[in-house]
Amino acid sequence: MEYTRLFALKLLQSEGRALERLYSNADTVRRKKMGDDVFIRGIVEFSNVCSNNCLYCGIRASNRNVRRYSMTTEEIMEAAIAMEENNFSTIVLQSGEIRDIKDDEIGEIIRKIKKKTSLAVTVSVGNRRKETYSFWRDCGMDRYFLRFETSDAELFNRLHPGCTLKERLTCLDDLHDLEIQTGSGFMIGLPGEKLETLADNILLCRKFDFDMIGIGPFIPHPETPLGNSPNAYSDNPELFFKALAVLRLFNPEAHIPATTAFDAVFPGEGRTLALQRGANIFMPNNTPVKYREDYLLYPGKPGVDEDPEQCLSSAVVRIKSLGRPLGKGPGHSIKKRHREKRSRE
Ligand code: SAM
């Protein structure tokens, strides 16, 4: 297998029999390397307060129509304890990029969750200093999730006022240096994206050797500057799945979630199809229902009125309908560097 841009481009243009082969190869590689288990990770969107103004994002600082919220530590703990009772093994704590929340406060939340539950903790709160990542790791953080969004530096810099792709990639290097299990990824079809960019996004994931890679279609949010900019592949949404399948072939040992945005574009089946085309992780929403509508990164986000139990049971139904078992245990990275670290501990 050649891991080149040219080959990625060729695969991304598969049609007919070649496309069927691409999907079936991605599913085979997923089964061989990651097994049939589907790991469940529960996401808690604990605050929609954000200091950034990413041009695509519904919770950007300038969107005055968003009712801002931040869950209290008690509310976060309540969600974490309920997750443990429901047999979750990972909590993903996600929020906007809130400069006001002190590193210590997040550190304290991580410590409390680690003390009161056996959950693995993933944090996803944007660009931070290396010292902060290191401090959170010492508090018990297991993993960090930070998408690079696009490998096209000019496009990245245009979409992220006050932030450059170089800075984002430095954060990812820092996490790698600290031996924190690192997840990253990108949006598929940002306005201005070319197929070459999509191929480069996949290659960049391989270069960084991420432990987890989350990708999903860009969906225009009407209250953002990109509200009238259609997805670059709006006339060819099959490309969303092609991207996922090629991503799996180029990153055989990464955890790859079937992200919610797939369901927003293909209601009721997007995530199920993603699980059949390379994905091995499902992330039901565990944010309390009263906050769901206020964390709308894009319109049509599914499950906004489902409580955490409903989100979990519909995930289980989908996974079982594919004849796949639920993963047991934390589902940590299977990459060699982490296996070696765990055996040292
Ligand atoms: N602030 C943290 C960060 O930037 O990593 C985490 C929260 S951020 C809102 C989570 C992800 O939502 C982003 O990485 C981005 O890929 C995705 N997202 C935001 N707006 C989107 C849109 N309009 N369509 C699809 N995905 C979107």
Side-chain angles (χ1 to χ4, degrees), residues 50 52 54 56-59 94-98 124-127 144-149 168 185-187 190 214 216-221 224 261 295-299:
C50 194
N52 287 355
C54 308
Y56 46 80
C57 185
I59 61 168
Q94 194 181 78
S95 73
E97 295 200 26
I98 339 165
S124 174
V125 299
N127 286 21
Y144 201 84
F145 183 55
L146 179 68
R147 283 182 177 179
F148 62 80
E149 315 293 0
R168 181 64 55 100
F186 54 86
M187 274 178 279
L190 281 167
F218 155 71
I219 302 168
H221 187 300
T224 65
Y295 202 87
L296 278 196
L297 310 176
Y298 49 79

Side-chain angles (χ1 to χ4, degrees), residues 5-6 36 47 61 86 89 104 109 116 150 156 176 184 213 236 260 277 294 308 313 330 337:
R5 185 198 225 196
L6 207 62
D36 264 341
S47 173
N86 283 322
S89 51
D104 292 354
I109 293 167
K116 292 256 163 67
T150 175
F156 183 100
H176 194 89
S184 190
I213 308 168
N236 185 10
T260 317
R277 294 166 178 181
D294 302 323
S313 55
R337 59 179 180 275

